[in-house]
Amino acid sequence: ENRRLASRVWLLQGSAVKRRDLDRVGYKDAMMASLLPNLYARDTEREDVDNAMRALAMRRHTRFVRIAVLLSKAENRSLLTSVGIPDRDIVVAGEIKAGILGK
């Protein structure tokens, strides 16, 4: 546990597509948000589409908060770029695995 970060990072529960939940967690005051898929889901395509919808709702709520997204499949990268997530903020789970195995 990193004690310096413990007071600055929070895990919050709610729906990223509901404005009420984004307001409740103070999303407009955040520096960054992360969207993580369920990597054990049977339908990884659906997980990526759902995260693209969450990213779109979050982007519409507050444009200046940086959103980092973990994708299940690389071919779904265009879903996120189409909603305004820059390439540098998109990470693909398979690329992480390949990078680890390649080292």
Side-chain angles (χ1 to χ4, degrees):
E1 182 179 324
N2 189 329
R3 294 181 193 276
R4 289 182 299 153
L5 291 178
S7 65
R8 298 179 4 191
V9 176
W10 298 273
L11 179 62
L12 303 167
Q13 189 171 1
S15 174
V17 296
K18 293 182 180 175
R19 179 174 283 282
R20 185 183 77 232
D21 284 343
L22 291 171
D23 289 337
R24 178 180 57 84
V25 301
Y27 177 67
K28 67 179 177 57
D29 299 321
M31 295 176 68
M32 183 175 180
S34 299
L35 289 173
L36 306 173
N38 177 359
L39 296 175
Y40 301 106
R42 291 179 187 246
D43 189 356
T44 55
E45 179 87 22
R46 182 69 191 175
E47 282 293 313
D48 287 346
V49 169
D50 288 349
N51 268 347
M53 295 303 294
R54 290 179 188 106
L56 177 61
M58 293 165 75
R59 178 72 62 205
R60 284 185 174 169
H61 184 274
T62 306
R63 296 200 57 80
F64 58 84
V65 176
R66 183 177 179 188
I67 304 170
V69 184
L70 178 65
L71 278 177
S72 298
K73 295 183 176 181
E75 52 269 15
N76 295 327
R77 185 180 294 268
S78 63
L79 289 171
L80 292 169
T81 56
S82 68
V83 298
I85 306 300
D87 248 1
R88 72 175 189 274
D89 292 336
I90 301 170
V91 179
V92 181
E95 292 172 0
I96 294 173
K97 292 175 190 174
I100 291 171
L101 293 175
K103 289 184 178 183

